[in-house]
Amino acid sequence: MQIGKNCIKDYSDIIQHFDSLATEQVRRGANSYSNVSGMPWPVELVRRTRGTSASLRLRLSLNVNTLVYADSIPTINWTFLPEESTSILGYECSKATGEFAGRTYTAWFTSELPLPYGPYKFGGLPGLILKIEDAEQQFIWEAVGFERSNEPIMKYQYRNANEKNCSAEEAAKTLVRYFKSPVGFAIASMGGDARRIHIVGKDGKEVDIDKAAQQSIPYKPLEIK
């Protein structure tokens, strides 16, 4: 998460790392390049510090699509629990709970850093949110360090990213279809030509595309409603 004078950017450092590796590999003429490992949070969000809306990019793996859309920043009604506190990175943090998009969240914020921001769309507390998690602990953000920088906050346009402009509602529906069959989704996005996709397993052997297209990934959306 980057906080500037005029805007805030929340993104995956893991995805940016692999993007940098892939950019260098392509520059050197490689026929293939490093793919993102694991399932990092694929949303890049940029918003004005005083704004109520955000610009989002949702990166689907396998270079299928980047969904580009705008969405609102909610006003969360927080309940403060002043009797509970903890320390994160040496900062004294207070506790608050609130409802957002169908989930209940617990946030730890510090008034020592009087910035009303947090990761993703969270904020509105009298201090920077250093940790926040939902009641099921499906989604957890926690600060691991700080760095002061004079570098500008960059908003990238990805080369060959197949950017698709859509609404927030359309993006949510696309995610459901994607996780039902990521490989099948990729094949459909390429006109149904399965010959254009080759997947190699950890053992170095090529994976049967038909079998891969039948595999789904468990998916619980962050925003239920």
Side-chain angles (χ1 to χ4, degrees):
M1 181 178 175
Q2 296 175 316
I3 302 175
K5 184 178 296 185
N6 299 311
C7 70
I8 301 166
K9 179 179 178 181
D10 185 78
Y11 67 100
S12 169
D13 187 62
I14 296 174
I15 292 178
Q16 179 161 300
H17 169 73
F18 277 91
D19 279 350
S20 298
L21 289 177
T23 297
E24 179 60 20
Q25 289 161 350
V26 170
R27 187 186 69 80
R28 294 182 179 183
N31 293 321
S32 61
Y33 48 87
S34 300
N35 289 312
V36 176
S37 61
M39 293 293 293
W41 181 235
V43 175
E44 176 185 292
L45 181 150
V46 178
R47 62 185 173 111
R48 308 291 294 182
T49 54
R50 298 183 182 277
T52 58
S53 63
S55 172
L56 296 95
R57 292 172 183 267
L58 196 157
R59 295 272 299 276
L60 300 179
S61 60
L62 302 176
N63 292 327
V64 176
N65 284 121
T66 297
L67 306 179
V68 181
Y69 58 99
D71 205 356
S72 60
I73 299 297
T75 298
I76 300 175
N77 294 319
W78 295 102
T79 299
F80 296 93
L81 303 170
E83 70 280 2
E84 297 189 51
S85 64
T86 191
S87 178
I88 300 176
L89 297 175
Y91 292 94
E92 187 72 14
C93 294
S94 301
K95 185 179 181 181
T97 60
E99 301 286 332
F100 167 63
R103 293 181 182 275
T104 301
Y105 287 87
T106 297
W108 295 96
F109 66 96
T110 176
S111 57
E112 296 178 46
L113 299 172
L115 301 169
Y117 311 123
Y120 191 49
K121 299 178 183 178
F122 300 105
L125 287 165
L128 187 65
I129 296 174
L130 297 189
K131 182 177 180 179
I132 185 167
E133 63 184 14
D134 72 303
E136 295 180 337
Q137 295 190 323
Q138 292 287 324
F139 300 93
I140 303 172
W141 291 262
E142 183 171 359
V144 296
F146 294 95
E147 180 181 346
R148 184 182 294 273
S149 174
N150 292 322
E151 295 295 321
I153 295 176
M154 305 296 291
K155 185 176 180 181
Y156 298 104
Q157 183 169 2
Y158 301 102
R159 185 176 63 182
N160 300 326
N162 300 321
E163 291 188 352
K164 178 182 178 182
N165 292 297
C166 62
S167 66
E169 292 75 16
E170 290 170 334
K173 293 178 181 178
T174 299
L175 270 182
V176 172
R177 296 198 307 271
Y178 172 78
F179 280 101
K180 186 175 182 179
S181 174
V183 174
F185 189 98
I187 292 172
S189 71
M190 296 178 181
D193 187 0
R195 295 171 300 177
R196 297 179 60 186
I197 297 179
H198 298 276
I199 300 175
V200 178
K202 293 182 179 180
D203 58 1
K205 297 181 180 180
E206 190 165 331
V207 177
D208 181 83
I209 289 296
D210 291 333
K211 290 182 178 180
Q214 296 174 12
Q215 297 179 359
S216 62
I217 297 176
Y219 174 59
K220 286 190 175 183
L222 186 154
E223 298 190 34
I224 301 173
K225 61 180 182 180

